[in-house]
Amino acid sequence: MTDAQAGRLWAAAARLAPGARIVEIGSFRGRSAIVLARAAPAAAEVVAIDPHGGSDRGPEEYTPDRERGDADHAAFTENLRRAGVAERVRHVRLPSDAALPVVEGPIDLLYVDGAHRYGPALADLRDWGARVVPGGTLLVHDAFSSIGVTLAQLRLLVAGTEFRYVGRSGTLAEYRREPLADPRARAGNAARQVGQLGYFGRNLAVKVALTAGLTPVARALGSPTWPY
Ligand SMILES: C[S@@+](CC[C@H](N)C(=O)[O-])C[C@H]1O[C@@H](n2cnc3c(N)ncnc32)[C@H](O)[C@@H]1O
């Protein structure tokens, strides 16, 4: 997570009303949960959903690994404690689909940064996105960068009628829930997102170059490190 992304998360949480509900999918070791919890109004509820199963935690880490997951869980707990927000965050140690019936009520701010494969990313945007209140915020990490996340965006958010694309900080995309009834508004919303596909292509090329050990090529493409 970059500083600009932390700033975007902070701003989204800080403008919520007391009593609002924030749901984060994919907490890893707590960095984004800490930003959200610190920025949120005192009476807001902050729910962090992460099974800490050691899978889907980064590139090439798709299979479960109990030891790795438990280490993430211990680091998450300790980081929240050290940041002074342990009491502010309700951690649900479940995969996001299993957490759906456990976390009740509408959502004012949804941050999606869980499993990045197409199936789970699509399910998170569809099933959790449906619970975002009108006027609420949806933030998606690795947008226009991960293939799975981007395909899910194309299917649900570019072609959809419920979320207006606000902008992005690197790969952190922001949407506002505002029904797009007018076909012209829908077309404009889709066009602004399709306009990000050049950035998506650049990110893919950078990842291919880095995976092949061609750092100078990635640097020439404008990102010598993995794009976030
Ligand atoms: C990219 S990391 C999240 C980073 C975090 N938001 C931060 O800023 O530090 C992805 C996380 O998603 C979690 N994850 C994997 N599968 C998940 C699922 N089905 N539901 C929720 N979280 C999941 C992983 O355990 C991992 O911690």
Side-chain angles (χ1 to χ4, degrees):
M1 187 172 62
T2 65
D3 287 350
Q5 292 172 352
R8 194 178 274 274
L9 287 183
W10 182 284
R15 65 175 171 254
L16 295 173
R21 178 176 292 112
I22 297 173
V23 173
E24 169 181 88
I25 299 173
S27 302
F28 191 44
R29 298 190 164 196
R31 193 177 294 186
S32 48
I34 289 169
V35 172
L36 292 168
R38 281 191 166 161
E45 183 186 4
V46 184
V47 183
I49 299 168
D50 195 311
H52 286 147
S55 66
D56 289 295
R57 65 203 280 284
E60 314 290 328
E61 292 177 331
Y62 298 122
T63 48
D65 181 318
R66 191 177 181 148
E67 216 170 290
R68 203 162 58 185
D70 285 346
D72 288 345
H73 183 66
F76 170 82
T77 305
E78 175 60 10
N79 288 338
L80 262 62
R81 188 194 64 76
R82 276 201 295 204
V85 297
E87 306 302 318
R88 298 275 295 114
V89 178
R90 172 185 166 207
H91 179 215
V92 177
R93 195 173 178 178
L94 289 172
S96 52
D97 55 351
L100 265 169
V102 174
V103 179
E104 291 179 346
I107 299 169
D108 299 277
L109 192 172
L110 173 64
Y111 178 41
V112 177
D113 191 16
H116 288 11
R117 288 170 293 115
Y118 175 67
L122 185 76
D124 285 344
L125 293 179
R126 183 190 59 220
D127 300 340
W128 286 94
R131 291 173 54 179
V132 174
V133 298
T137 299
L138 167 65
L139 290 148
V140 185
H141 200 249
D142 290 295
F144 307 116
S145 185
S146 149
I147 294 175
V149 173
T150 306
L151 289 177
Q153 282 180 274
L154 286 172
R155 171 126 175 236
L156 290 177
L157 300 172
V158 175
T161 60
E162 288 296 317
F163 286 93
R164 181 174 64 80
Y165 176 63
V166 175
R168 63 176 175 83
S169 301
T171 73
L172 177 64
E174 179 169 354
Y175 295 85
R176 193 84 56 247
R177 185 153 196 181
E178 280 175 17
L180 301 155
D182 170 4
R184 271 195 312 186
R186 284 208 288 274
N189 192 51
R192 290 198 309 117
Q193 293 178 80
V194 168
Q196 308 305 314
L197 293 182
Y199 174 71
F200 172 55
R202 197 281 316 234
N203 286 339
L204 284 190
V206 167
K207 290 177 186 179
V208 169
L210 290 174
T211 305
L214 302 171
T215 307
V217 175
R219 186 174 292 112
L221 289 164
S223 178
T225 55
W226 201 261
Y228 291 104

